[in-house]
């Protein structure tokens, strides 16, 4: 089996996990992170590590006679607005938050809103994209001067394969909502399997008086019976439509995120690729989980995990004791700690300004939580401040 992985170099942590899993099954793997027009094949199977590369995957599959992803399915899974429209056509419109691609001020609606490019993903604060606003006037005060002109013609972002996109304005879902994200696998026959589910605990960070961001600071696996039935009833139904209507195969689904509040269920952000949850599950099961799923024999999940930031006390490090024995719990994207380093207050697990996260596992959820608290305290005790 010859595998092609399409990715961006910034997703190296996902690339390595997928590559190792496939090679452990005795399969060959080629990774391409640029010059996508120059790919020479054929290959037997293609994996896109970023959804904005799905259109390239679909074109290559068409060229090489692979039938895992059609061009139309790639367009639907790449574009947030087209994805929302798809959900409406399959009868799940009540789960879709209100949204619009505005080309004039009259298109906007009242209430808390969030701005999302229809193509791509991100958590980095730039003052507009992926930012929430308290009302449409606050959004317009922070928008580019030619915002409506941009949204009339669309724009292309080199960071996301230059796929034509627009700014989508969506209702910002309530901060008090419970958030659940299931992980699924669709195999080569179009059969799907629920792998596990995580619960996300979010926190709001205000930026002045007009804008804010809400992102997770704590993510943990939970038993299926702890998920409200009002939410879990949609899990299989949604994935069944993805597999049957879009006719996709050999694909991981991370999410969507289901928001549950005041008896209402909404969903956002379905990522058609391996996500951080699968990477963590593979790591805590000695690098054997992902390969077992792909091979059709998922191993029993024997551990639960907690992924959260360390919440270290802010301040400048005067000295730090040897904490090398704790590094196995610290995420690869965490910032290094050393004398002279300024520890800042962290907003979320993906904070680009200061990020320091732990991934801790335990047999049951309480075990993982207790281990997290102990490791966090031990790390904090290693630091002396100026």
């Amino acid at each position: 089996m010859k595998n092609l992985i399409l990715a961006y170099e910034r997703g190296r942590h996902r690339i390595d996990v997928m590559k190792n899993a496939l090679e452990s099954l005795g399969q060959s793997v080629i990774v391409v992170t640029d010059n996508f027009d120059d790919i020479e094949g054929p290959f037997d199977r293609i994996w896109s590590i970023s959804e904005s590369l799905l259109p390239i995957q679909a074109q290559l599959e068409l060229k090489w006679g692979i039938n895992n992803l059609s061009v139309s399915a790639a367009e639907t899974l790449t574009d947030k607005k087209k994805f929302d429209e798809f959900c409406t056509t399959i009868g799940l419109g009540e789960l879709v938050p209100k949204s619009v691609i505005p080309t004039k001020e009259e298109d906007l609606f009242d209430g808390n809103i969030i701005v999302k490019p229809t193509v791509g993903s991100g958590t980095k604060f730039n003052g507009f994209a992926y930012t929430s606003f308290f009302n449409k006037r606050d959004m317009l005060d922070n928008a580019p001067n030619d915002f409506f002109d941009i949204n009339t013609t669309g724009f292309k972002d080199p960071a996301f394969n230059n796929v034509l996109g627009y700014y989508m304005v969506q209702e910002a879902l309530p901060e008090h909502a419970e958030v659940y994200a299931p992980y699924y696998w669709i195999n080569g026959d179009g059969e799907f399997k629920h792998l596990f589910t995580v619960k996300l605990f979010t926190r709001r960070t205000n930026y002045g008086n007009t804008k804010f961001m809400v992102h997770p600071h704590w993510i943990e696996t939970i038993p299926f019976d702890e998920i409200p039935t009002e939410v879990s009833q949609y899990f299989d139904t949604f994935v069944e439509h993805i597999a049957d209507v879009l006719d996709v195969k050999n694909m991981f689904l991370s999410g969507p995120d289901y928001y549950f509040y005041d008896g209402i269920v909404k969903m956002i952000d379905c990522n058609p690729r391996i996500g951080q949850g699968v990477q963590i599950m593979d790591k805590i099961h000695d690098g054997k989980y992902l390969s077992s799923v792909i091979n059709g024999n998922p191993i029993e999940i024997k551990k639960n995990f907690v992924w959260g930031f360390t919440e270290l006390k802010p301040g400048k490090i005067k000295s730090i004791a040897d904490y090398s024995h704790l590094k196995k719990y610290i995420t690869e994207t965490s910032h290094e700690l050393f004398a002279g380093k300024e520890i800042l207050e962290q907003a979320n697990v993906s904070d680009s300004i200061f990020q320091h996260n732990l991934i801790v596992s335990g047999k049951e959820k309480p075990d993982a939580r207790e281990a997290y608290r102990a490791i966090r305290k031990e790390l904090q005790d290693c630091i002396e401040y100026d």
Side-chain angles (χ1 to χ4, degrees):
M1 177 75 71
K2 294 176 58 180
N3 293 272
L4 171 65
I5 294 178
L6 301 175
Y8 302 115
E9 188 57 42
R10 61 180 181 268
R12 175 54 60 179
H13 53 299
R14 292 196 196 102
I15 296 170
D16 292 342
V17 171
M18 178 62 81
K19 185 173 185 290
N20 291 341
L22 294 169
E23 289 180 340
S24 73
L25 295 173
Q27 301 180 17
S28 65
V29 183
I30 297 295
V31 178
V32 176
T33 59
D34 55 19
N35 299 321
F36 300 109
D37 293 336
D38 299 331
I39 297 173
E40 296 183 4
F43 289 85
D44 301 307
R45 193 160 52 185
I46 307 173
W47 308 87
S48 292
I49 304 300
S50 173
E51 51 266 37
S52 61
L53 295 172
L54 290 175
I56 294 176
Q57 175 181 337
Q59 292 292 342
L60 291 175
E61 289 200 1
L62 188 64
K63 178 180 178 180
W64 296 330
I66 308 173
N67 298 307
N68 291 329
L69 180 70
S70 68
V71 172
S72 60
E75 291 176 353
T76 298
L77 294 171
T78 300
D79 187 291
K80 296 181 183 66
K81 188 62 174 175
K82 291 180 180 179
F83 175 78
D84 285 354
E85 292 168 352
F86 167 76
C87 291
T88 299
T89 62
I90 61 175
L92 297 178
E94 74 274 10
L95 302 183
V96 178
K98 183 193 305 183
S99 67
V100 65
I101 296 176
T103 56
K104 56 185 182 301
E105 185 171 346
E106 291 73 23
D107 293 336
L108 299 170
F109 47 85
D110 295 323
N112 289 2
I113 54 178
I114 182 170
V115 176
K116 297 179 178 180
T118 55
V119 176
S121 60
T123 57
K124 294 181 179 179
F125 178 70
N126 71 358
F128 191 63
Y130 308 108
T131 304
S132 296
F133 301 91
F134 294 106
N135 53 61
K136 59 185 179 183
R137 177 44 52 193
D138 289 343
M139 189 215 81
L140 289 173
D141 288 344
N142 287 274
N145 293 331
D146 55 350
F147 170 67
F148 292 121
D149 292 334
I150 293 173
N151 242 20
T152 298
T153 59
F155 60 91
K156 296 181 179 181
D157 187 342
F160 296 103
N161 190 33
N162 285 311
V163 177
L164 184 66
Y166 301 84
Y167 287 114
M168 179 174 74
V169 176
Q170 184 182 75
E171 65 172 307
L173 299 176
E175 299 160 43
H176 66 273
E178 298 176 13
V179 186
Y180 303 89
Y183 285 77
Y184 273 82
W185 160 246
I186 303 173
N187 69 16
D189 295 320
E191 300 167 341
F192 61 87
K193 180 176 180 57
H194 174 249
L195 302 177
F196 58 90
T197 296
V198 298
K199 185 174 183 179
L200 299 87
F201 297 82
T202 61
R203 179 177 295 179
R204 185 175 86 178
T205 303
N206 291 333
Y207 297 89
N209 298 320
T210 62
K211 49 196 172 186
F212 62 96
M213 299 183 78
V214 178
H215 286 302
H217 64 92
W218 178 281
I219 301 165
E220 63 182 13
T221 47
I222 61 169
F224 193 80
D225 59 11
E226 290 187 16
I227 307 168
T229 55
E230 295 93 332
V231 177
S232 61
Q233 65 176 324
Y234 293 109
F235 285 6
D236 282 359
T237 300
F238 169 76
V239 179
E240 183 177 10
H241 282 93
I242 292 291
D244 292 349
V245 179
L246 294 184
D247 193 27
V248 301
K249 305 177 187 70
N250 289 312
M251 179 177 286
F252 286 90
L253 295 177
S254 305
D257 296 345
Y258 288 85
Y259 283 64
F260 182 51
Y261 59 95
D262 306 329
I264 298 170
V265 180
K266 297 290 183 181
M267 69 177 187
I268 61 171
D269 300 342
C270 177
N271 298 307
R273 52 171 170 75
I274 63 167
Q276 186 72 18
V278 170
Q279 295 171 238
I280 295 172
M281 196 61 77
D282 190 66
K283 179 179 180 180
I284 66 177
H285 288 85
D286 303 317
K288 298 177 181 178
Y289 181 74
L290 181 55
S291 60
S292 74
V293 173
I294 295 172
N295 203 34
N297 298 296
I299 62 175
E300 179 186 357
I301 293 178
K302 297 182 178 180
K303 298 179 182 179
N304 288 275
F305 69 77
V306 164
W307 171 28
F309 58 61
T310 47
E311 294 191 276
L312 296 172
K313 175 186 172 183
K316 188 175 182 179
I317 298 176
K318 180 179 181 180
S319 64
I320 184 166
D322 179 25
Y323 67 100
S324 57
H325 61 295
L326 300 177
K327 288 190 176 182
K328 62 183 177 181
Y329 303 109
I330 299 171
T331 59
E332 295 176 359
T333 54
S334 292
H335 294 172
E336 193 70 24
L337 301 178
F338 51 85
K341 174 71 174 180
E342 187 80 24
I343 296 176
L344 304 176
E345 186 173 351
Q346 187 171 339
N348 58 76
V349 292
S350 300
D351 197 328
S352 59
I353 298 175
F354 179 79
Q355 180 183 144
H356 206 274
N357 302 320
L358 297 175
I359 295 174
V360 182
S361 63
K363 183 176 181 181
E364 303 294 342
K365 184 172 67 173
D367 301 324
R369 288 181 172 182
E370 183 177 350
Y372 168 88
R373 287 191 290 266
I375 293 166
R376 178 199 169 279
K377 182 180 185 305
E378 187 175 355
L379 178 61
Q380 181 68 78
D381 290 346
C382 289
I383 302 172
E384 182 182 1
Y385 294 85
D386 275 342

